[in-house]
C-alpha cells in the first residue's frame, strides 16, 4: 500500500510540474507574440550622394533585418521630402541591420546620368522615442556603386623596357585588372580609360567638372554580352598593348602572347599596329580615333576602370563636352578650346593617379576616387624609371583599396612579368 501511495504522490508532483512548464512556455510564447504584435512607427530617410547635385531617386528598396529574431522587413515606398527621400513603416523595437539598394538620375553637361546607389548600416537600435507619437527615425546616406565594383587596377606597366642597346621599348606595356571580391565576376562591358590632362601641367579649365566626371582621351571597352569573361576571386586579367612574345625583338622583355585582351588600333600610321588574332581586342569607343594608343612613359596620366551605363553609340554621340583653358609656356600664352569625352564619376569603378613626384602639380580625378598618386622614377625624364611598374599592395589574399594610390601601390616596383623570368 505504501508503495502505491508513493507512486500516486510522485505522479501528482510530475503532473503539477508539467502543468507549470506548459503555463510558463505559454506565457513566453504569449510575450513573444505580444512583442511582435506591438510595433512602433519608424521613419527611414535616404540622403542623396553628397557629390551629386539635384539627384532624383528612381528606384529604392530598404531591407531591415532584426538581429534577435532574424525577421526581415522591406520598405519601398520612399517619397521626396525636404530632407531627402523618406518612408514610414511599423516594426518591432530591436537591433537591425539595414541594407538599401536603388537607382538615381541626374543631369550632367545637359545629359541625363543614371547610376546605382546603395547603403549599409549595422547594429542600428530602433526604439520608441519619449514622445506621444512613439516613433523613431534614422537617416542613411546613399553612395553610388557599380555592379562590377569588385574589380580594380592591380598593376600598370607604363614605362616599358629597354633593349640591350639601351633604347626604350614600349610595345610591351600592359595593365592588370584584379577581382577583389569573394565571388566570380564578369569583365564584360568594363571600360579602361585614360585622362586627357597630365599631372605635371595644371590648368584652370572651364567648366571644371572634376568633382562630377573624369575628362578622358582614351576609352577601350571589354567585349561581351554579360557573362562571357568570368574572373575568379583573387585572379587577374591582363590587357596587353601588343599581345605577342616580345623576347625575339627585345631579349630584355617578356611574353604577352597569352594575355586575356589586346588593345589593337586600326591606325592610318604607316607602321600601323600589330594584331594577335588569337587574343580578343578591346573595343575602341573613342569616335574617329586614327592613332595608335601608347601609355605615357613618364607616368603623368591617370587611369581608371568604368562601367558605362549607356551603349556605344549613345556614348560616342552624347558624352563629349566643350571646355577652355589658357596654355602657358614661358612667354607663350594661347587660349585653348577642347572637345573631349567625359566619364561620370558615378560610373567609375576604380581610379589611379600617376605623377612624377618632383613635377606633380595636381591630381586628375576627384579625391573621392583617388586622394593620392603613385609613380615610377623620382624626377622628370628619370632614366631609372624604365623596367619599373606600379603594383597594388596586398593584405593577405586581398588587394588594398583605400582610394589613395600613395598608400595602396608599391611605386618603382619590379613588373610582375619580369619577376617570373
Amino acid at each position: 500500500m505504501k508503495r502505491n501511495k508513493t507512486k500516486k504522490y510522485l505522479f501528482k508532483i510530475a503532473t503539477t510540474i508539467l502543468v507549470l512548464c506548459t503555463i510558463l512556455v505559454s506565457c513566453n510564447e504569449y510575450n513573444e507574440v505580444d512583442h511582435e504584435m506591438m510595433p512602433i512607427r519608424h521613419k527611414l530617410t535616404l540622403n542623396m550622394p553628397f557629390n551629386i547635385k539635384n539627384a532624383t531617386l528612381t528606384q529604392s528598396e530598404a531591407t531591415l533585418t532584426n538581429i534577435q529574431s532574424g525577421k526581415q522587413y522591406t520598405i519601398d515606398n520612399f517619397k521626396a521630402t525636404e530632407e531627402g527621400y523618406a518612408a514610414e513603416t511599423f516594426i518591432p523595437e530591436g537591433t537591425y541591420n539595414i541594407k538599401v539598394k536603388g537607382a538615381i538620375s541626374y543631369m550632367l553637361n545637359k545629359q541625363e546620368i543614371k547610376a546605382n546607389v546603395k547603403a549599409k548600416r549595422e547594429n542600428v537600435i530602433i526604439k520608441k522615442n519619449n514622445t506621444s507619437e512613439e516613433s523613431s527615425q534614422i537617416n542613411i546616406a546613399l553612395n553610388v556603386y557599380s555592379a562590377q565594383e569588385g574589380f580594380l587596377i592591380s598593376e600598370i606597366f607604363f614605362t616599358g623596357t629597354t633593349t640591350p642597346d639601351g633604347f626604350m621599348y614600349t610595345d610591351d606595356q600592359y595593365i592588370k585588372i584584379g577581382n577583389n571580391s569573394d565571388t566570380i565576376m564578369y569583365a564584360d562591358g568594363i571600360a579602361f580609360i585614360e585622362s586627357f590632362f597630365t599631372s605635371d601641367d595644371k590648368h584652370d579649365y572651364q567648366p571644371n567638372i572634376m568633382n562630377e566626371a573624369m575628362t578622358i582621351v582614351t576609352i577601350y571597352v571589354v567585349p561581351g554580352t554579360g557573362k562571357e569573361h568570368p574572373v575568379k576571386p583573387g585572379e587577374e586579367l591582363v590587357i596587353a598593348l601588343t599581345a605577342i612574345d616580345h623576347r625575339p625583338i627585345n631579349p630584355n622583355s617578356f611574353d604577352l602572347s597569352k594575355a586575356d585582351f589586346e588593345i589593337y588600333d586600326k591606325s592610318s600610321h604607316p607602321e600601323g599596329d600589330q594584331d594577335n588574332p588569337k587574343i580578343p581586342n578591346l573595343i575602341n569607343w573613342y569616335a574617329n580615333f586614327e592613332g595608335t594608343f601608347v601609355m605615357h612613359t613618364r607616368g603623368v596620366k591617370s587611369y581608371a576602370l568604368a562601367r558605362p551605363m549607356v551603349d556605344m553609340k549613345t556614348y560616342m554621340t552624347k558624352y563629349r563636352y566643350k571646355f577652355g583653358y589658357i596654355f602657358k609656356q614661358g612667354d607663350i600664352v594661347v587660349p585653348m578650346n577642347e572637345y573631349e569625352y567625359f566619364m561620370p564619376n558615378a560610373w567609375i569603378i576604380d581610379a589611379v593617379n600617376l605623377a612624377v613626384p618632383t613635377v606633380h602639380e595636381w591630381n586628375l580625378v576627384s579625391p573621392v576616387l583617388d586622394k593620392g598618386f603613385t609613380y615610377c622614377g623620382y624626377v622628370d625624364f628619370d632614366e631609372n624609371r624604365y623596367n619599373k611598374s606600379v603594383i597594388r599592395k596586398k593584405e593577405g589574399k586581398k588587394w588594398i583599396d583605400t582610394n589613395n594610390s600613395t598608400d595602396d601601390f608599391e611605386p618603382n616596383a619590379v613588373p610582375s612579368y619580369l619577376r617570373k623570368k
Side-chain angles (χ1 to χ4, degrees), residues 26-265:
S26 298
C27 288
N28 286 338
E29 289 180 352
Y30 174 78
N31 286 337
E32 288 179 6
V33 172
D34 182 61
H35 181 71
E36 292 293 327
M37 293 297 291
M38 296 177 60
I40 63 169
R41 182 188 292 115
H42 177 70
K43 182 180 180 182
L44 179 61
T45 299
L46 306 179
N47 303 125
M48 293 296 97
F50 76 93
N51 55 335
I52 294 177
K53 299 176 182 178
N54 302 319
T56 300
L57 187 67
T58 57
Q59 297 177 21
S60 58
E61 182 178 277
T63 302
L64 293 81
T65 303
N66 189 298
I67 294 177
Q68 288 85 1
S69 67
K71 289 188 176 181
Q72 292 186 337
Y73 305 85
T74 302
I75 308 174
D76 59 8
N77 58 336
F78 289 91
K79 297 181 180 179
T81 67
E82 292 183 358
E83 300 173 336
Y85 284 80
E88 287 191 351
T89 187
F90 287 87
I91 56 176
E93 291 184 309
T95 304
Y96 288 82
N97 290 335
I98 303 175
K99 290 184 178 180
V100 183
K101 280 194 174 183
I104 61 172
S105 66
Y106 62 99
M107 299 301 295
L108 175 59
N109 195 49
K110 300 180 181 179
Q111 293 298 322
E112 181 185 20
I113 308 298
K114 295 181 179 180
N116 296 321
V117 290
K118 69 176 182 179
K120 181 179 179 181
R121 292 278 294 276
E122 294 183 344
N123 299 316
V124 177
I125 298 174
I126 294 178
K127 62 181 180 180
K128 62 183 179 181
N129 294 331
N130 295 324
T131 65
S132 58
E133 295 182 355
E134 296 186 345
S135 64
S136 66
Q137 179 174 337
I138 186 171
N139 293 351
I140 293 182
L142 297 173
N143 295 304
V144 296
Y145 82 101
S146 167
Q148 295 165 310
E149 66 178 2
F151 284 116
L152 45 68
I153 296 173
S154 54
E155 181 179 0
I156 309 174
F157 178 61
F158 59 89
T159 62
T161 53
T162 51
T163 67
D165 294 329
F167 293 105
M168 178 175 63
Y169 182 79
T170 60
D171 285 355
D172 52 7
Q173 293 177 332
Y174 65 85
I175 310 99
K176 282 190 175 184
I177 300 173
N179 177 359
N180 210 32
S181 75
D182 297 318
T183 60
I184 293 176
M185 298 189 67
Y186 297 88
D188 307 45
I190 285 184
F192 170 70
I193 58 179
E194 181 189 63
S195 64
F196 170 79
F197 295 107
T198 60
S199 57
D200 62 341
D201 190 17
K202 186 175 182 179
H203 296 290
D204 180 20
Y205 71 102
Q206 299 296 329
N208 185 337
I209 62 171
M210 187 180 291
N211 287 332
E212 299 170 280
M214 180 177 173
T215 306
I216 64 174
V217 72
T218 300
I219 174 170
Y220 291 93
V221 178
V222 176
T225 56
K227 290 192 174 182
E228 295 182 25
H229 304 292
V231 186
K232 295 179 181 179
E235 292 192 352
E236 296 170 293
L237 292 177
V238 179
I239 300 174
L241 265 67
T242 307
I244 63 171
D245 186 349
H246 294 272
R247 292 173 296 182
I249 305 170
N250 177 14
N252 294 335
S253 188
F254 36 79
D255 184 6
L256 287 174
S257 63
K258 296 180 181 178
D260 298 285
F261 297 100
E262 181 179 48
I263 294 178
Y264 169 68
D265 296 306

